[in-house]
Amino acid sequence: MSARARTARIRALVLTVISLVSLGTVSGCARGDAPARIVVTTNILGDVTREIVGGEAEVSVLMKADADPHSFGVSAVQAAELERADLVVYNGLGLEENVLRHVTAARESDVPVFETGRAVDPLTFGTGGEGDPAAEAGRPDPHFWTDPDRMRTAVGLIADQVVEHVDGVDERTVRKNAERYDARLRDLTAWMEKSFAAIPEDRRSLVTNHHVFGYLAERFGLRVIGAVIPSGTTLASPSSSDLRSLVLAMERAHVRTVFADSSRPTRLSEVLRQETGGRVRIVALYSESLTGSGGGAPTYLDMMRANTGAIADGLTGG
């Protein structure tokens, strides 16, 4: 082989190697540039997860503002998004009734999933007093977020999950974000304790649209004596005997206020008002969903402050 031929061959081999290396580098960059994605089912946990993650990963929330967690569904695109996630965070304990099968499918596709409610020492229906829904006795209550201390526990656990399962996040940043948010929750709890402590003992009874405030009642010394919908889910409906029983319980406890979720019609509460001869005041709360940015509860902290103020005023007649 002539010198010229050898030189040409070497040049061709070098160009081939350079091309292969460049191709691999571009492919690697394309993979590295794709942001890690965390998918969260409910907007309450979505807000909290974003506080923890900051800019370390993309957080996608399935549940829209002002939606009902018991009945909202997901599109085919969102279902596929669950199965491509680096981590799925969901409330669990039966809350997201129309989404759980998609969470199960993600788990079966080897996506790490974290059931937050089961990890924060959940209460069960049937242990909170006379107002608990008898038909659901023994079932876990999924509404743990109404206790800010349990949410503090959830914050630490979600941070652990992010650090363990989401590649590329900076652990120090995630831990610092979680600590900062935990301090805000600690301040929230102290303020809530002070607000509820001012309610006289004989006015500490709650009637709600459905059973959602058991954790709050246990944490702050309130009593849930009943709900218009005698269930832990909004998908149930009351019978006429349920309403009569609730009216009697309200009369015994001298309760004249019903707290109804602001995102749903208060028709059933209005029926209860008729049953009591119009002597019931209906107060709106943000119990299971955050609002849009223009609403009264765009964040979890906003929701808890608004609800605390509304409950304290509603029970004291303010």
Side-chain angles (χ1 to χ4, degrees), residues 91-159:
N91 190 96
L93 302 180
L95 182 77
E96 309 98 320
E97 299 177 50
N98 291 334
V99 180
L100 291 179
R101 62 188 177 92
H102 299 293
V103 173
T104 300
R107 180 189 291 113
E108 291 173 349
S109 298
D110 295 326
V111 175
V113 300
F114 179 56
E115 185 177 9
T116 312
R118 198 166 295 279
V120 295
D121 188 25
L123 299 176
T124 57
F125 291 119
T127 60
E130 63 175 312
D132 267 354
E136 298 184 29
R139 289 183 54 190
D141 182 346
H143 308 95
F144 74 88
W145 63 84
T146 64
D147 175 3
D149 284 342
R150 280 182 167 86
M151 186 59 91
R152 289 180 64 191
T153 300
V155 166
L157 294 173
I158 292 171

Side-chain angles (χ1 to χ4, degrees), residues 53-262:
V53 173
E56 293 299 304
E58 181 179 332
V59 178
S60 177
V61 180
L62 300 180
M63 179 180 162
K64 303 302 182 185
D66 295 311
D68 183 342
H70 297 281
S71 61
F72 86 99
V74 297
S75 66
V77 171
Q78 289 175 315
E81 185 180 358
L82 278 165
E83 297 188 34
R84 292 194 304 268
D86 294 279
L87 172 66
V88 171
V89 177
Y90 72 112
N91 190 96
L93 302 180
L95 182 77
E96 309 98 320
E97 299 177 50
N98 291 334
V99 180
L100 291 179
R101 62 188 177 92
H102 299 293
V103 173
T104 300
R107 180 189 291 113
E108 291 173 349
S109 298
D110 295 326
V111 175
V113 300
F114 179 56
E115 185 177 9
T116 312
R118 198 166 295 279
V120 295
D121 188 25
L123 299 176
T124 57
F125 291 119
T127 60
E130 63 175 312
D132 267 354
E136 298 184 29
R139 289 183 54 190
D141 182 346
H143 308 95
F144 74 88
W145 63 84
T146 64
D147 175 3
D149 284 342
R150 280 182 167 86
M151 186 59 91
R152 289 180 64 191
T153 300
V155 166
L157 294 173
I158 292 171
D160 290 341
Q161 293 290 315
V162 171
V163 169
E164 179 180 355
H165 296 294
V166 183
D167 292 339
V169 301
D170 181 72
E171 178 175 358
R172 175 178 291 185
T173 299
V174 171
R175 299 293 186 195
K176 187 175 181 179
N177 290 343
E179 290 171 6
R180 184 184 301 111
Y181 194 65
D182 179 84
R184 297 176 70 187
L185 290 173
R186 185 170 61 248
D187 291 343
L188 170 69
T189 302
W191 177 78
M192 291 176 68
E193 285 178 339
K194 183 177 180 180
S195 299
F196 288 129
I199 301 173
E201 182 61 31
D202 62 349
R203 294 192 178 188
R204 303 178 70 84
S205 298
L206 284 174
V207 173
T208 57
N209 212 48
H210 79 290
H211 286 275
V212 67
F213 286 102
Y215 288 90
L216 181 143
E218 183 203 51
R219 174 63 181 80
F220 297 104
L222 304 177
R223 296 180 297 274
V224 180
I225 66 167
V228 180
I229 302 174
S231 174
T233 172
T234 56
L235 302 185
S237 58
S239 65
S240 57
S241 62
D242 290 329
L243 289 173
R244 284 196 297 271
S245 296
L246 180 57
V247 169
L248 290 175
M250 291 176 65
E251 289 176 349
R252 287 195 300 269
H254 305 289
V255 170
R256 291 292 177 266
T257 303
V258 175
F259 297 96
D261 192 283
S262 63

